[in-house]
Amino acid sequence: MSEYEPVDITPPELWPSALAHDVPHWAEAAPTPNDVHDWPQRQAAALVAFTLDARGWPVNPKGPTGRTGRNLGKWGENAAADPIVVAGTGQERQVLLITRDDIGVEAIPGGMLDPGETALAALVRELGEETGIDLAGHRPVILGQDLVDDHRNSDQAWVASTSALYRLPATVPAIAGDDAADATWWPFGTLDQLDSAITDAGRTLYTAHRPLLHRALAHLADAEGHGGSR
């Protein structure tokens, strides 16, 4: 068997030499996991349980990724919030997605929790920042807390998200902001319908969010009294 040789994906701004002079506002200062001193607290607060290896470094719960280092704000779990906003019912349903300005794909609006922020607060804040929609007065259905197959994940740093469903009777105006290049309502009767609409528009659905959208559809099918989410 060939020896495991993951690729280091740490960007220059997170190299130890760079962190010694300037720490990006979105990142912690620790150049390696050895410089993190609150692992018990992070493990206790994690959305998805994780362990530490013999070096005391965090281990991605999903297993080897082929990538090492850190291209996220924190070592270990990086907690995110993903609000899935759906308007209408049945085959007339629509879902609100943004075009991410970093990788140019259609995705659920959302992002990382700020220090000390709750998931519910982050859901509202991220939605407002990226689409201009304020749902602070709405109570969402929490669909799950899961690992997300984010393109920045590594063996030592990864994303876990609280996904929540917001239901509206009809669409409301959305204006892209923050790190969203666009905000669009898409047909959401089924995942196939969503795929077709996005493909026909010459765009691509973010693969990592497909399981979250599928779960939302399954919940909606149960709530509306009929099955099938494809």
Side-chain angles (χ1 to χ4, degrees):
M1 291 181 60
S2 60
E3 187 175 343
Y4 180 57
E5 297 180 354
V7 176
D8 193 331
I9 62 170
T10 307
E13 61 266 31
L14 295 183
W15 291 350
S17 57
L19 290 173
H21 295 91
D22 180 58
V23 179
H25 69 90
W26 49 269
E28 65 180 353
T32 75
N34 289 333
D35 302 292
V36 174
H37 305 295
D38 64 344
W39 284 120
Q41 290 86 349
R42 294 191 188 197
Q43 288 178 289
L47 299 180
V48 179
F50 68 92
T51 61
L52 304 178
D53 65 17
R55 300 171 296 175
W57 287 28
V59 178
N60 190 316
K62 200 169 184 177
T65 63
R67 300 181 293 273
T68 189
R70 172 169 67 110
N71 191 16
L72 289 162
K74 296 170 58 178
W75 293 102
E77 181 180 281
N78 289 257
D82 288 305
I84 303 172
V85 183
V86 175
T89 60
Q91 291 302 307
E92 302 305 314
R93 284 191 301 252
Q94 296 186 63
V95 64
L96 179 64
L97 301 179
I98 62 163
T99 305
R100 289 180 53 154
D101 65 4
D102 56 348
I103 53 177
V105 297
E106 303 306 295
I108 300 166
M112 302 298 175
L113 272 63
D114 288 339
E117 187 178 38
T118 66
L120 285 174
L123 288 163
V124 172
R125 176 182 56 77
E126 286 288 344
L127 183 65
E129 290 175 353
E130 296 188 347
T131 71
I133 295 175
D134 181 5
L135 292 184
H138 291 68
R139 183 181 296 275
V141 174
I142 303 300
L143 296 175
Q145 296 177 315
D146 311 277
L147 294 174
V148 177
D149 191 19
D150 192 277
H151 64 288
R152 297 164 293 181
N153 287 354
S154 74
D155 292 352
Q156 297 86 30
W158 57 90
V159 177
S161 176
T162 297
S163 57
L165 175 65
Y166 290 86
R167 300 192 67 178
L168 302 177
T171 61
V172 295
I175 302 173
D178 196 25
D179 56 0
D182 196 8
T184 307
W185 289 97
W186 296 95
F188 196 51
T190 65
L191 200 55
D192 285 344
Q193 184 187 33
L194 176 63
D195 274 329
S196 295
I198 290 175
T199 299
D200 290 346
R203 303 187 186 185
T204 303
L205 179 62
Y206 187 35
T207 301
H209 283 171
R210 292 181 66 87
L212 305 183
L213 292 167
H214 188 274
R215 179 183 291 170
L217 280 168
H219 176 89
L220 289 166
D222 288 342
E224 293 174 14
H226 51 81
S229 59
R230 290 186 57 79

